[in-house]
Amino acid sequence: MTVLDQTRAPRTTRGSGARRRPSPLGSKWTPYLFLAPAALFILVFQAVPLAQEIYLSFTRTTLLNPTRSQWVGLDNFNRIFGDPDFRHTLLITFVYVIACVVGAVGTGLVVALLLNKGFRGRGVARALVTIPWAAPGIAVALIATWMLNAQYGIVNRLLDAVGLGVPDGAILDSPRYALPAVLATTIWQLFPFTSVVLLSALQAVPQDLNEAATMDGAGRWGAFRAVTWQVIKPTVGLLALLMTIWSLRRFELIWLMTKGGPVGATETLVIDLYSQAFDSKELGSAAAIGMVGVVISLIVITGSRLVARAVEKEILR
């Protein structure tokens, strides 16, 4: 026997009845423990308020006495859909959402394509383009209101200089020009986000494929459609969905600029909901309007998923 064998520590064997203590991190409940805080947050701050809103939409409840509710069934929905002003609000909402999606995503794509090119000062330009998105919505609304002011606003002076001045300079007080002004301000605030996201997507486009398509005679537009667009199309679809949801929920900018006026020219669903709840003191009608917005959002999300799946199946074929 060698010295090493003599100094080796004796092995200890576990008894047949001894069991290894299970590690808490190896339990099957571990994933649920990590998800518990997020699930609790969603339950408390989203699921419970949504359930309360669903209940309120079927009751006649006033802000002055919210503890006393009267069950009225579908009366709130029948009343709002029978109101011509609400149908006009739905039309304004659809126009606002579609214009915001097309304007923000389209402008963001153009800016992203420009920033993707090589030129001096590109890093500074990429930083400056994010300023509107970084600015608070309240600040953007106040600055836009000052710029559109009838007396000292710079926008009116520029329009007068080129012969396109608005009568009396009342852009935000005109039923014809108020909505375009609000839309321009909203798109100006949103397009930096879409441009940054699309710029990241453009970095993944294989440049050799673009060059090959151009050399084959496809041209810049043909190369863009055949190569670039195919790569960034999923990102564009996701951005369109996000812009739709955000535009449906947009409140502070519209409220601070026009409060839904003049004569309902900029009144969207969220503005109508606020007016019903805090001006008319009708919480039941406001909840019904909110449920209409929830249903529209669900339809948009479901439709986008169906379209994405159809496109994916077509690609796999």
Side-chain angles (χ1 to χ4, degrees):
M1 181 179 296
T2 63
V3 178
L4 181 62
D5 293 334
Q6 293 176 353
T7 58
R8 182 178 297 169
R11 293 184 179 179
T12 57
T13 59
R14 294 179 178 269
S16 59
R19 294 183 179 179
R20 180 179 297 177
R21 298 182 62 183
S23 172
L25 296 179
S27 173
K28 65 178 181 179
W29 300 105
T30 301
Y32 300 99
L33 292 177
F34 284 112
L35 292 175
L40 182 63
F41 177 85
I42 293 175
L43 177 65
V44 173
F45 294 101
Q46 294 188 13
V48 173
L50 179 61
Q52 292 177 339
E53 181 182 2
I54 294 174
Y55 172 76
L56 280 177
S57 65
F58 295 104
T59 65
R60 181 173 291 113
T61 306
T62 63
L63 183 63
L64 299 178
N65 195 2
T67 58
R68 298 186 60 181
S69 302
Q70 180 183 359
W71 183 267
V72 294
L74 296 175
D75 286 356
N76 290 327
F77 294 95
N78 293 332
R79 185 168 64 255
I80 62 175
F81 281 108
D83 186 1
D85 292 337
F86 181 74
R87 294 196 293 269
H88 180 263
T89 298
L90 281 178
L91 176 62
I92 295 298
T93 302
F94 289 138
V95 171
Y96 180 80
V97 170
I98 293 173
C100 284
V101 172
V102 175
V105 177
T107 306
L109 178 58
V110 173
V111 173
L113 290 172
L114 293 175
L115 293 178
N116 195 41
K117 296 181 179 297
F119 57 90
R120 295 184 60 182
R122 184 175 64 174
V124 177
R126 289 180 175 181
L128 292 177
V129 80
T130 62
I131 291 178
W133 173 254
I138 296 177
V140 172
L142 293 177
I143 292 172
T145 303
W146 294 336
M147 293 177 64
L148 295 167
N149 186 271
Q151 297 180 355
Y152 49 81
I154 188 174
V155 174
N156 280 293
R157 295 187 179 182
L158 292 176
L159 292 176
D160 289 336
V162 297
L164 299 175
V166 178
D168 300 327
I171 296 178
L172 295 179
D173 294 329
S174 170
R176 181 178 180 182
Y177 300 108
L179 183 59
V182 173
L183 281 171
T185 306
T186 306
I187 293 171
W188 181 80
Q189 186 186 19
L190 290 179
F191 89 87
F193 175 79
T194 60
S195 64
V196 170
V197 175
L198 289 172
L199 181 60
S200 300
L202 288 173
Q203 305 298 314
V205 177
Q207 295 301 319
D208 54 345
L209 293 180
N210 263 329
E211 295 174 359
T214 304
M215 292 178 62
D216 289 341
R220 291 186 178 181
W221 173 244
F224 174 82
R225 288 194 307 169
V227 180
T228 305
W229 177 251
Q230 301 303 322
V231 175
I232 68 173
K233 184 164 58 175
T235 305
V236 172
L238 178 60
L239 285 174
L241 177 61
L242 290 176
M243 293 298 107
T244 300
I245 301 301
W246 291 351
S247 300
L248 283 171
R249 300 172 53 212
R250 182 72 54 179
F251 172 77
E252 77 282 353
L253 191 146
I254 302 175
W255 182 259
L256 290 173
M257 291 184 67
T258 62
K259 290 184 171 58
V263 294
T266 59
E267 187 173 53
T268 59
L269 280 176
V270 289
I271 301 297
D272 193 16
L273 186 154
Y274 182 88
S275 299
Q276 287 289 333
F278 297 101
D279 292 340
S280 301
K281 309 296 189 298
E282 293 290 339
L283 296 182
S285 298
I289 295 172
M291 288 308 303
V292 173
V294 171
V295 171
I296 293 175
S297 300
L298 291 176
I299 292 174
V300 171
I301 294 173
T302 304
S304 66
R305 293 299 302 166
L306 293 176
V307 171
R309 289 180 181 179
V311 172
E312 184 178 356
K313 290 181 180 179
E314 188 67 23
I315 293 175
L316 292 176
R317 287 180 184 178

